[in-house]
Amino acid sequence: MNANPAWQTLQNLAKTDLDLNALFAKDADRGKTFSASACDIYMDFSKQVIDEVILQNLLNLANEFELSNKINDLLTGKKVNDTENREALHTALRSPKGETLMVNGVDVNTEVHASLSKAEILVNLIRQKIWRGYSGKAITDVVNIGVGGSDLGPLMATTALSEWADTDIKVHFVSNMDGTQLDSLTKVLNPQTTLFIISSKSFGTIDTLSNANTALQWLLAAHDNRATILHRHFIGISTRADKMSEWGIHTDNQLLLWDWVGGRFSMWSVIGLAIAIKIGMDNFYELLAGANLMDKHFAVADFRHNLPVLLGLIGVWNATFLNIHAHSVLPYDGRLSFFPNYLTQLEMESNGKSVNREGLAVGYNTCPILWGDIGSNAQHAFYQLLHQGTQRVSCDFITPIYRYNGAQIYNSSLANQHKLSLSNCLAQSQVMAFGNGALPDELKNKQDEFGKFKQYRGNQPSTTLLLNSLSPKTLGSLIALYEHKVYVMSVIWQINPFDQWGVEVGKVMANSVYNELQTTDFTNKFDSSTNALLGVIKNKGGGRQ
């Protein structure tokens, strides 16, 4: 177990019976005391099961683990991804033009903006209807083919920023290797006017390449000039120019990444091409600017008022010391419908580790299971468990303060709907925190009618994040906030958040199973369960159609 003084103190403090009703009764200003704001985001963490003593010891813990130095290592290009011996420079992807970051004798900022400049040329060609398909018609539909970070980030951001779309070009996303998404799209899209973006850091991911090959065959069925199809209907994004060329991507249509860009941190790079096509490069740069604002806040703000530091330390307190094994992200805004999915990968792929940087097994809980949904949908799905189940779950509530304001109001009922959404967001966090204690007297009396069936235990910890409004800039800040939260937690847990070896083993094993499906023989070379399943599949002719 960890011998750090603050760690030992926090372990003892976690054994005390802290209750949110009592904590709020003790401090009338608690709602203001346990809050912080930056980058147009207000964070209320007063409904977390902490007091000043716990918070101070969490801050002490950060200092004992030299968090300030670790933040500097991340932002200045040190090799924080030690198991792969490389930097994690996603913050450099959103640095303004003109800044300098020298890593291994190279100005990373210059390379990043050269890549973005090439992307901007392609974006303008597509948006201005200059880019033409094989028949001479302008592109009307763009399909982003990727998986993981090459899909989740762009999908989430284009959905969240749909109101900033100023083009009639439709952007679609394909990720699943079973072909369902692509099959559905090709039934309705016109091959003459469809452009595919193949996003793959390694350009070897089977999920992505299987979809890319199917897309190519679909286009060749409409027009058999392979060179023309590849030149006019495919853009490639990868670290491997050689592999893109080998597949057939024209050099004019190749956008390059770097090894130090982790997939789940890559949407700020040319991986975000689909976002830029949808909302334009100016708004894409605003997205980057918002993230850069959070980077600067993370770098210089005192830890007591540093949003990513506080969010990360609270996450450690809940998962490691209070043994809360689940965390739910609950945005009360339909535009953020894919945000919980995005964070699922960001947090669980980064911090789902049980071995520390020294290669030793950790003796404590690390990343909790994370999931979520739009708040109003979640209320009618899993809030029952949050309020009356047997599991403790920590939650993040996220909502914009302003929506449908100014020129956007074309129907007064929309403005009222936003108030309803805000009301539900605030009300749900109250009941989770205080249980029956949150209810007004007239409702408490009605609760007695059914006794224990209408009891809400409360003491479910939550943080509420209020955005001034949802815009490219605030979305950038919000995403960067969670990226840095992940890093803070990894420092305290002493794990590497930038590798993902657990993702690789299943892929390797799948190749062996795939080869087995290619034959009609029964080799029985796997475990008895897999052998039996393969037997059923082969006997029914599966895998060969």
Side-chain angles (χ1 to χ4, degrees):
M1 299 302 291
N2 201 295
N4 291 64
W7 188 288
Q8 297 295 321
T9 301
L10 287 164
Q11 279 189 317
N12 291 327
L13 289 168
K15 297 174 185 176
T16 60
D17 189 19
L18 288 173
D19 179 78
L20 284 168
N21 280 290
L23 289 172
F24 273 83
K26 184 178 179 180
D27 181 1
D29 292 324
R30 181 178 170 86
K32 294 180 179 178
T33 304
F34 293 91
S35 66
S37 61
C39 308
D40 288 332
I41 300 174
Y42 179 89
M43 186 171 86
D44 170 17
F45 56 99
S46 63
K47 295 188 184 77
Q48 293 290 340
V49 187
I50 61 173
D51 57 16
E52 283 290 354
V53 174
I54 292 169
L55 180 57
Q56 186 56 56
N57 275 281
L58 287 169
L59 296 171
N60 292 344
L61 190 67
N63 291 326
E64 288 176 5
F65 281 94
E66 300 181 340
L67 179 59
S68 183
N69 291 337
K70 297 297 194 300
I71 292 172
N72 185 65
D73 289 346
L74 172 72
L75 299 178
T76 57
K78 299 294 191 301
K79 290 186 176 179
V80 292
N81 183 353
D82 46 15
T83 62
E84 296 178 303
N85 193 35
R86 60 191 182 212
E87 307 82 6
L89 287 173
H90 47 280
T91 56
L93 297 171
R94 57 252 193 162
S95 293
K97 183 180 282 190
E99 290 191 0
T100 300
L101 177 61
M102 301 300 296
V103 178
N104 301 321
V106 176
D107 182 5
V108 171
N109 188 273
T110 298
E111 289 195 346
V112 166
H113 281 277
S115 178
L116 288 173
S117 293
K118 184 172 182 180
E120 185 168 1
I121 291 170
L122 299 183
V123 166
N124 289 336
L125 287 173
I126 296 164
R127 285 168 55 86
Q128 294 170 14
K129 305 298 178 71
I130 299 171
W131 189 303
R132 302 278 164 159
Y134 66 81
S135 69
K137 294 182 179 180
I139 297 301
T140 60
D141 293 86
V142 174
V143 181
N144 187 87
I145 298 178
V147 71
S150 299
D151 171 76
L152 289 167
L155 172 61
M156 177 272 294
T158 53
T159 304
L161 300 177
S162 57
E163 291 177 6
W164 275 262
D166 57 354
T167 176
D168 58 358
I169 295 171
K170 295 181 174 61
V171 177
H172 314 272
F173 293 88
V174 168
S175 60
N176 201 312
M177 72 172 73
D178 76 352
T180 300
Q181 294 166 307
L182 187 57
D183 182 53
S184 297
L185 280 175
T186 54
K187 288 174 180 176
V188 297
L189 297 184
N190 183 350
Q192 300 177 65
T193 58
T194 300
L195 174 67
F196 292 92
I197 301 170
I198 307 175
S199 298
S200 174
K201 183 177 175 180
S202 65
F203 220 79
T205 306
I206 189 64
D207 318 52
T208 300
L209 291 184
S210 62
N211 278 314
N213 286 324
T214 299
L216 176 58
Q217 295 308 312
W218 175 67
L219 286 164
L220 288 173
H223 184 76
D224 62 3
N225 189 319
R226 187 183 185 91
T228 299
I229 289 295
L230 287 167
H231 192 184
R232 297 193 182 186
H233 291 271
F234 286 95
I235 292 173
I237 305 174
S238 177
T239 61
R240 299 291 303 271
D242 57 336
K243 287 192 173 184
M244 286 192 285
S245 295
E246 181 183 344
W247 195 85
I249 303 293
H250 195 281
T251 53
D252 290 346
N253 302 347
Q254 294 180 11
L255 296 172
L256 292 175
L257 293 171
W258 304 267
D259 280 341
W260 45 256
V261 180
R264 55 195 174 279
F265 301 94
S266 65
M267 61 172 283
W268 318 102
S269 70
V270 288
I271 289 289
L273 184 68
I275 308 171
I277 291 170
K278 189 69 176 176
I279 66 174
M281 282 302 295
D282 287 346
N283 281 322
F284 185 74
Y285 283 126
E286 281 291 291
L287 180 74
L288 302 186
N292 183 252
L293 283 175
M294 186 59 71
D295 295 340
K296 288 180 165 55
H297 168 74
F298 185 46
V300 303
D302 177 83
F303 285 177
R304 178 60 180 80
H305 302 97
N306 191 308
L307 267 62
V309 171
L310 290 169
L311 201 60
L313 292 175
I314 289 167
V316 170
W317 168 247
N318 286 331
T320 303
F321 295 98
L322 295 184
N323 291 314
I324 297 175
H325 306 306
H327 182 71
S328 190
V329 177
L330 306 163
Y332 275 76
D333 189 309
R335 296 170 295 179
L336 290 173
S337 58
F338 290 106
F339 194 60
N341 290 24
Y342 176 77
L343 292 185
T344 294
Q345 185 202 24
L346 176 64
E347 298 212 18
M348 293 204 288
E349 190 166 279
S350 296
N351 286 340
K353 314 286 172 60
S354 57
V355 176
N356 67 18
R357 288 181 180 270
E358 303 301 319
L360 302 173
V362 300
Y364 41 81
N365 292 327
T366 56
C367 187
I369 295 168
L370 187 146
W371 88 103
D373 199 353
I374 302 170
S376 54
N377 289 347
Q379 287 179 193
H380 297 275
F382 55 81
Y383 271 43
Q384 171 63 41
L385 181 145
L386 300 182
H387 287 307
Q388 292 188 311
T390 58
Q391 302 293 323
R392 289 198 78 186
V393 180
S394 59
C395 299
D396 287 351
F397 292 89
I398 305 171
T399 187
I401 298 171
Y402 298 107
R403 193 176 181 195
Y404 304 124
N405 55 305
Q408 293 187 38
I409 296 180
Y410 62 88
N411 187 326
S412 61
S413 66
L414 278 176
N416 188 57
Q417 282 187 263
H418 180 55
K419 290 179 182 178
L420 284 171
S421 182
L422 281 171
S423 300
N424 275 270
C425 179
L426 300 184
Q428 293 289 349
S429 70
Q430 286 183 75
V431 180
M432 285 187 193
F434 309 120
N436 286 70
L439 301 175
D441 290 339
E442 62 270 19
L443 287 181
K444 285 180 184 177
N445 294 333
K446 292 183 179 180
Q447 299 302 104
D448 294 338
E449 182 181 349
F450 290 94
K452 294 180 180 179
F453 295 106
K454 286 196 174 183
Q455 295 303 306
Y456 304 95
R457 69 178 184 280
N459 223 33
Q460 293 276 54
S462 70
T463 294
T464 300
L465 296 169
L466 297 178
L467 315 182
N468 277 7
S469 62
L470 182 58
S471 68
K473 183 172 283 188
T474 57
L475 180 65
S477 295
L478 180 68
I479 299 166
L481 166 60
Y482 276 94
E483 287 181 346
H484 295 322
K485 170 204 173 183
V486 163
Y487 184 66
V488 169
M489 297 170 85
S490 77
V491 170
I492 305 302
W493 287 329
Q494 303 176 79
I495 57 179
N496 179 6
F498 301 116
D499 63 16
Q500 57 277 330
W501 300 110
V503 177
E504 304 303 320
V505 64
K507 293 180 181 178
V508 173
M509 193 66 191
N511 289 332
S512 181
V513 176
Y514 177 76
N515 291 334
E516 183 72 11
L517 279 172
Q518 300 297 94
T519 73
T520 57
D521 299 331
F522 294 87
T523 61
N524 292 320
K525 65 180 182 180
F526 302 106
D527 62 274
S528 61
S529 170
T530 305
N531 288 334
L533 292 168
L534 283 167
V536 172
I537 293 169
K538 289 186 175 185
N539 282 329
K540 292 183 178 295
R544 298 195 303 275
Q545 61 268 44

